[in-house]
């Protein structure tokens, strides 16, 4: 969830009621005239990934609770009137993740900030404090003791199993007959996709009317049963907003006495990225053809974060899981889009736990599994007896990113001989990037401008003088060059030269924020 009211010249104090919006992930209040302290109520927003309060008139100290936000990746407090010591904990330990420039009264922090040291002189303590402080400490101690006793008593009354899931986390049990009923007998009109290991149907669970996607494994296909087990093992141990959420699984016998295995997922109403990039007919998904801003994913709107979402999912799998997971089959059709155009990476049928890939599989077995991925997205080292690794996923991501902006599949007929999509982009970089961009992307943006000018939807776009057009074209080209650079780096033939996924996420966020600022000047 995102709240962006930046650049509106709003005044007053930041509402403390924002602390009740606990599902906020991105909060942008920059470029206003807010004053006063940063509310302590924001401490409840533990899910914040981005917080930008820059270019306001805020005063007081930098809240220490910001250093305890475990998922906060971008913090901008620059150009305010903040004072006091800057923490060294959490995000404040990473100079590239936060900014406090333009606050002349700040001190301390990590050396990279080049802030003056804080004075360690302690003010003379009023005599009354000698009475107040011990009394306060005693009161706090008694309160903590009473709370601890209450919690102890409550826990003794609970069942011994402390891992009982909450109602939201408790897995739904769905029978084979319920799956038949929800899909009208796996009717063709409910078929929404198919692959080598199974087919996916749209279904409606009768109990709560919930719309779901049901993946039915094609068990006669060699490897399908193993794919089912691998996908279950992968999905049961991971949780991230950009990974497709599994609801339940069903393993039983069907009406003919054959083995049946199915997976039930959240339904993604906007299909997959491949359908948006490559409409299959004149009318199918025509309204879903991505506009310029949607394809760039850098305009800081809810619908335009596909590239960052996919990179964030891979960063989580590679660096933040208890055991590193390699997806092994990243491609546009495995990137699903929900109501808000948030991307979710799915299809973990080929996923490998890195420790298992290195300890329990021979090289031949590893290569066999990898090559069941999709031609064009498989890293070249997998075809040269290389082992599954996170840099293989990075290669696939680089190809996907290049495909998004060129509009060409890696298997396009034009790529023959030693020419591939990586070399195609690399030869155009940086001077001729605009020449290889998907023409429909830029054409649709021109249509959008004409509509805005004609109807007066946005005052900023009513008068497009020559200077604005030149600056706008320059900003667009600068963004595309930066994005192509990431795609080219990630799809490098040499695994050691590919950009790590956590760096990709940071770079994409910087590109998005820079472009957003440029179009709001």
């Amino acid at each position: 969830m995102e709240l962006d009211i930046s650049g509106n010249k709003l005044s007053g104090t930041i509402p403390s009621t924002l602390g009740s919006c606990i599902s906020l992930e991105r909060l942008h209040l920059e470029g206003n005239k807010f004053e006063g302290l940063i509310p302590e109520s924001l401490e409840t927003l533990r899910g914040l990934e981005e917080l930008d309060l820059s270019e306001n008139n805020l005063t007081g100290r930098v809240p220490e609770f910001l250093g305890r936000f475990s998922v906060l990746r971008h913090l901008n407090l620059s150009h305010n009137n903040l004072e006091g010591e800057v923490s060294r904990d959490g995000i404040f330990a990473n100079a590239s993740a936060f900014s406090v420039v333009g606050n002349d009264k700040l001190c301390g922090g990590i050396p990279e900030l080049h802030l003056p040291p804080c004075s360690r002189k302690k003010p003379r303590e009023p005599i009354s404090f000698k009475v107040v402080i011990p009394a306060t400490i005693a009161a706090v101690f008694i309160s903590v003791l009473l709370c601890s006793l209450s919690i102890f008593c409550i826990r003794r009354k609970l069942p011994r199993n402390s891992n009982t899931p909450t109602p939201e986390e408790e897995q739904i049990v769905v029978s084979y007959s319920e799956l038949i009923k929800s899909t009208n007998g796996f009717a063709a009109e409910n078929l929404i996709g198919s692959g080598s290991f199974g087919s996916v149907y749209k279904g409606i669970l009768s109990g709560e009317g919930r719309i779901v996607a049901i993946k039915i494994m094609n068990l006669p296909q060699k490897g399908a049963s193993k794919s089912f087990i691998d996908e279950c093992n992968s999905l049961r141990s991971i949780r991230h907003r950009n990974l497709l959420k599994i609801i339940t699984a069903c393993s039983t016998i069907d009406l003919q006495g054959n083995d049946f295995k199915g997976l039930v997922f959240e339904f993604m109403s906007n299909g997959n990225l491949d359908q948006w990039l490559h409409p299959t007919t004149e009318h199918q998904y025509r309204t879903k053809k991505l506009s310029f801003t949607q394809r760039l994913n850098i305009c800081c709107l809810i619908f335009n974060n596909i590239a960052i979402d996919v990179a964030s999912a891979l960063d989580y799998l590679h660096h933040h899981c208890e055991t590193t997971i390699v997806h092994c089959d990243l491609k546009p059709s495995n990137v699903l889009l929900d109501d808000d155009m948030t991307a979710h990476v799915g299809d973990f049928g080929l996923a490998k736990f890195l420790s298992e890939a290195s300890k329990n599989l021979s090289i031949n077995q590893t290569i066999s599994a990898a090559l069941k991925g999709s031609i064009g997205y498989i890293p070249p080292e997998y075809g040269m007896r290389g082992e599954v690794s996170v840099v293989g996923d990075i290669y696939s991501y680089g190809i996907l990113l290049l495909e998004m902006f060129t509009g060409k599949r890696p298997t396009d007929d034009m790529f023959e001989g030693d020419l591939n999509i990586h070399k195609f982009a690399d030869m155009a970089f940086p001077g001729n990037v605009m020449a290889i961009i998907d023409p429909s992307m830029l054409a649709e943006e021109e249509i959008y401008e004409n509509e805005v000018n004609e109807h007066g939807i946005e005052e900023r776009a009513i008068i497009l003088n020559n200077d604005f057009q030149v600056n706008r074209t320059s900003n667009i080209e600068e963004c595309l060059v930066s994005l192509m650079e990431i795609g080219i780096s990630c799809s490098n033939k040499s695994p050691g030269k590919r950009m790590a996924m956590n760096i990709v996420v940071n770079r994409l966020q910087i590109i998005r924020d820079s472009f957003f600022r440029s179009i709001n000047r």
Side-chain angles (χ1 to χ4, degrees):
M1 180 177 178
E2 177 179 11
L3 175 62
D4 188 344
I5 53 174
S6 57
N8 285 294
K9 299 183 179 180
L10 300 174
S11 59
T13 59
I14 296 176
S16 59
T17 51
L18 284 175
S20 62
C21 302
I22 57 176
S23 61
L24 271 178
E25 296 173 338
R26 293 177 288 279
L27 177 59
H28 287 263
L29 306 180
E30 68 269 22
N32 288 292
K33 297 183 179 180
F34 289 118
E35 56 190 18
L37 305 178
I38 298 175
E40 290 292 326
S41 62
L42 298 187
E43 187 174 5
T44 60
L45 305 182
R46 296 302 182 92
L48 274 182
E49 298 177 2
E50 300 174 17
L51 175 61
D52 196 332
L53 305 179
S54 61
E55 299 181 13
N56 282 287
N57 299 313
L58 300 174
T59 56
R61 301 177 66 86
V62 177
E64 291 186 0
F65 63 75
L66 294 175
R68 297 191 291 270
F69 283 8
S70 59
V71 298
L72 187 61
R73 299 193 303 258
H74 175 74
L75 173 64
N76 192 348
L77 303 176
S78 59
H79 301 293
N80 282 288
N81 298 308
L82 300 173
E83 60 185 53
E85 185 173 5
V86 177
S87 172
R88 293 170 175 249
D89 299 326
I91 194 171
F92 296 108
N94 182 0
S96 64
F98 76 101
S99 175
V100 291
V101 298
N103 293 277
D104 298 332
K105 296 180 182 179
L106 291 177
C107 61
I110 58 179
E112 291 88 339
L113 299 179
H114 304 294
L115 295 176
C118 298
S119 173
R120 297 302 177 186
K121 289 186 177 181
K122 295 183 179 180
R124 290 190 66 181
E125 187 175 302
I127 296 177
S128 59
F129 278 18
K130 295 181 179 180
V131 177
V132 173
I133 290 178
T136 302
I137 293 174
V140 171
F141 176 77
I142 294 172
S143 299
V144 171
L145 181 62
L146 291 174
C147 289
S148 299
L149 289 173
S150 299
I151 293 172
F152 176 75
C153 292
I154 291 172
R155 284 183 173 178
R156 291 198 64 181
K157 295 179 181 180
L158 292 174
R160 294 183 64 87
N161 182 10
S162 60
N163 294 321
T164 302
T166 64
E168 292 182 355
E169 295 175 335
E170 189 170 3
Q171 190 180 61
I172 300 172
V173 177
V174 178
S175 65
Y176 174 72
S177 59
E178 170 66 14
L179 295 182
I180 292 179
K181 182 179 179 181
S182 67
T183 59
N184 193 24
F186 304 120
E189 60 266 23
N190 288 321
L191 180 67
I192 56 178
S194 59
S196 58
F197 290 145
S199 301
V200 182
Y201 295 85
K202 179 180 178 181
I204 303 177
L205 300 181
S206 58
E208 51 188 4
R210 184 176 186 178
I211 301 177
V212 295
I214 303 167
K215 181 177 182 179
I216 308 302
M217 307 305 296
N218 180 22
L219 295 181
Q221 173 69 33
K222 184 179 180 180
S225 293
K226 184 179 184 302
S227 174
F228 174 81
I229 296 172
D230 289 344
E231 194 154 8
C232 287
N233 288 336
S234 299
L235 293 172
R236 72 180 181 182
S237 60
I238 56 178
R239 176 176 295 181
H240 189 274
R241 66 183 295 271
N242 297 124
L243 295 176
L244 186 62
K245 182 180 179 182
I246 187 171
I247 297 173
T248 190
C250 179
S251 180
T252 184
I253 303 297
D254 65 17
L255 299 178
Q256 288 74 41
N258 300 315
D259 287 338
F260 174 89
K261 297 184 186 298
L263 297 165
V264 182
F265 297 94
E266 286 186 325
F267 178 71
M268 298 286 109
S269 60
N270 275 311
N272 63 59
L273 182 58
D274 187 81
Q275 295 165 336
W276 287 68
L277 296 176
H278 311 289
T280 55
T281 67
E282 181 64 27
H283 301 289
Q284 185 182 14
Y285 302 107
R286 180 56 56 189
T287 58
K288 292 184 178 182
K289 187 68 174 177
L290 287 177
S291 70
F292 173 77
T293 50
Q294 286 173 320
R295 197 78 66 86
L296 287 178
N297 300 297
I298 54 175
C299 288
C300 208
L301 300 173
I302 296 176
F303 298 163
N304 306 322
N305 288 314
I306 298 172
I308 295 177
D309 288 343
V310 177
S312 298
L314 291 180
D315 180 39
Y316 169 79
L317 295 173
H318 294 174
H319 300 113
H320 303 290
C321 290
E322 184 175 350
T323 302
T324 299
I325 296 177
V326 184
H327 185 277
C328 292
D329 196 21
L330 183 68
K331 56 183 177 179
S333 60
N334 285 340
V335 176
L336 291 306
L337 304 168
D338 65 15
D339 293 343
D340 297 328
M341 289 296 290
T342 298
H344 303 259
V345 176
D347 198 342
F348 283 76
L350 295 179
K352 302 293 179 188
F353 290 96
L354 196 59
S355 58
E356 292 181 2
S358 60
K359 295 178 182 179
N360 300 331
L361 294 175
S362 69
I363 292 179
N364 288 335
Q365 288 174 312
T366 304
I367 294 305
S368 176
L371 291 179
K372 287 180 182 175
S374 301
I375 300 299
Y377 305 91
I378 302 172
E381 66 269 20
Y382 284 9
M384 296 183 289
R385 305 181 67 83
E387 294 187 10
V388 166
S389 67
V390 295
V391 292
D393 277 355
I394 295 173
Y395 177 87
S396 302
Y397 178 81
I399 298 298
L400 182 146
L401 198 61
L402 295 178
E403 182 177 355
M404 288 176 67
F405 296 103
T406 64
K408 297 186 182 298
R409 299 183 189 272
T411 55
D412 192 282
D413 291 340
M414 73 169 292
F415 301 131
E416 55 184 18
D418 64 345
L419 181 64
N420 54 40
I421 192 171
H422 168 86
K423 191 171 183 179
F424 175 69
D426 193 32
M427 289 189 301
F429 182 85
N432 294 316
V433 162
M434 297 299 287
I436 66 169
I437 295 302
D438 184 359
S440 65
M441 184 191 304
L442 300 175
E444 289 182 11
E445 181 63 358
E446 292 172 1
I447 293 171
Y448 171 76
E449 283 181 0
N450 293 334
E451 290 177 351
V452 170
N453 292 333
E454 180 181 353
H455 301 295
I457 297 174
E458 184 179 345
E459 183 179 354
R460 178 183 297 276
I462 292 176
I463 301 175
L464 295 176
N465 57 43
N466 291 334
D467 291 338
F468 180 82
Q469 284 284 33
V470 171
N471 291 337
R472 177 182 172 280
T473 302
S474 176
N475 292 333
I476 291 172
E477 186 169 356
E478 182 180 343
C479 285
L480 289 171
V481 169
S482 299
L483 288 162
M484 284 294 183
E485 183 179 14
I486 294 176
I488 292 169
S489 172
C490 289
S491 59
N492 195 296
K493 184 177 180 180
S494 173
K497 294 182 179 179
R498 296 171 195 161
M499 189 180 298
M501 198 49 62
N502 55 343
I503 298 177
V504 170
V505 174
N506 290 334
R507 288 279 298 276
L508 287 172
Q509 290 173 338
I510 291 171
I511 293 169
R512 178 195 61 191
D513 294 346
S514 175
F515 185 77
F516 180 74
R517 285 192 297 269
S518 71
I519 64 175
N520 281 278
R521 288 172 183 167

